[in-house]
């Protein structure tokens, strides 16, 4: 009986923790991390601030948990797009633009991503390990997509998949930082769209048919 009570308590705690993360993600996305007091998150889930701190030791710990969940959700979405079986050579570039639209729809989380990125520069912080794993995964999965494009004849044979993957991620993250510094005035989607078009022209093998698909460096990019 004692084991069952402990197990039940653990499950209740996990459920409440997930509820807090849902609320914090929603509030941070809408208003930004700095503009949402911990008391507001607590009230949203029916807790006192001290009750919330039982699940997360500080607002900073909550920030890191939200960032971790956000990175995982982004990775799952991006992976599903890249592995949907499409033989369209332009799918990668369209996905770059669509993923940016998803990001812009939750502006507070862009600020959160940039904020935690700055903290991740310190090897002594939990954010350092979190972001290190995230970037390793993001680069590897994007490089795999590029490598498959080379093997399929869509992309130029001299395409350095790892280098291009790192460039794609660097451009996206750099533009997100500039978006934050501009107060949201930068056209983030337009910037990624323009970059995707330039990248397509530089690595696509144009004017040939691959599995019945015409590869064109000026193909449709949303």
């Amino acid at each position: 009986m004692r084991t069952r009570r402990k197990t039940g308590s653990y499950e209740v705690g996990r459920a409440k923790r997930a509820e807090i993360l849902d609320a914090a993600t929603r509030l941070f996305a809408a208003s930004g991390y700095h503009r949402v007091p911990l008391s507001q998150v607590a009230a949203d889930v029916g807790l006192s601030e001290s009750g919330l701190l039982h699940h997360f030791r500080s607002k900073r710990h909550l920030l890191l948990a939200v960032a971790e969940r956000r990175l995982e959700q982004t990775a799952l979405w991006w992976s599903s797009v890249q592995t949907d079986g499409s033989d369209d050579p332009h799918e990668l570039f369209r996905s770059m633009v669509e993923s940016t639209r998803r990001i812009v729809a939750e502006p507070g989380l862009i600020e959160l991503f940039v904020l935690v990125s700055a903290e991740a520069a310190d090897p002594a912080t939990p954010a350092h390990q979190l972001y290190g794993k995230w970037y390793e995964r993001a680069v590897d999965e994007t490089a795999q997509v590029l490598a498959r494009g080379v093997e399929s004849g869509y992309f130029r044979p001299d395409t350095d998949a790892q280098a291009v993957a790192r460039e794609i991620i660097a451009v996206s993250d750099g533009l997100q930082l500039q978006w934050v510094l501009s107060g949201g005035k930068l056209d983030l989607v337009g910037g990624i769209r323009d970059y995707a078009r330039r990248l397509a022209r530089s690595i696509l093998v144009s004017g040939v048919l691959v599995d019945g698909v015409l590869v064109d460096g000026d193909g449709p990019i949303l």
Side-chain angles (χ1 to χ4, degrees), residues 5-215:
R5 282 200 298 270
K6 287 183 177 179
T7 300
S9 177
Y10 175 73
E11 291 301 325
V12 169
R14 284 188 60 185
K16 178 56 73 173
R17 183 182 173 89
E19 185 182 355
I20 294 168
L21 280 174
D22 287 341
T25 300
R26 181 176 63 256
L27 293 168
F28 292 166
S31 303
Y33 171 76
H34 289 298
R35 290 177 289 278
V36 177
L38 201 58
S39 58
Q40 184 178 354
V41 180
D44 200 85
V45 295
L47 291 174
S48 65
E49 188 169 333
S50 60
L52 187 150
L53 291 174
H54 175 73
H55 298 276
F56 296 93
R57 286 184 291 169
S58 68
K59 189 181 179 185
R60 203 72 180 180
H61 284 85
L62 179 58
L63 167 68
L64 186 62
V66 171
E68 183 173 13
R69 174 194 265 195
R70 178 64 172 175
L71 291 175
E72 183 61 28
Q73 290 174 341
T74 300
L76 289 173
W77 179 83
W78 186 238
S79 178
S80 71
V81 171
Q82 293 177 344
T83 58
D84 67 355
S86 173
D87 60 357
D88 183 348
H90 301 101
E91 182 61 26
L92 170 64
F93 311 106
R94 283 199 293 267
S95 297
M96 289 166 58
V97 178
E98 181 57 31
S99 67
T100 305
R101 283 202 178 95
R102 287 168 57 90
I103 291 171
V104 171
E106 298 178 305
L109 294 184
I110 302 178
E111 297 179 14
L112 183 148
F113 176 79
V114 171
L115 181 63
V116 180
S117 294
E119 184 175 312
D122 182 356
T125 64
H128 182 80
Q129 183 177 11
L130 172 64
Y131 271 56
K133 290 181 178 179
W134 155 253
Y135 276 109
E136 182 179 355
R137 176 179 178 179
V139 169
D140 286 348
E141 291 186 354
T142 305
Q144 289 174 23
V145 174
L146 290 159
R148 288 197 296 270
V150 172
E151 293 170 1
S152 300
Y154 294 154
F155 300 150
R156 291 165 52 97
D158 61 348
T159 299
D160 186 331
Q162 282 280 327
V164 174
R166 290 190 182 280
E167 178 185 306
I168 290 171
I169 294 166
V171 169
S172 176
D173 290 358
L175 285 176
Q176 287 182 64
L177 171 58
Q178 293 180 57
W179 181 91
V180 170
L181 294 174
S182 73
K185 295 178 182 178
L186 177 73
D187 182 359
L188 188 54
V189 175
I192 291 295
R193 183 190 298 112
D194 291 344
Y195 167 67
R197 285 172 174 157
R198 290 193 299 272
L199 179 62
R201 294 188 187 104
S202 69
I203 69 173
L204 279 169
V205 178
S206 298
V208 298
L209 284 174
V210 180
D211 295 334
V213 177
L214 178 64
V215 182

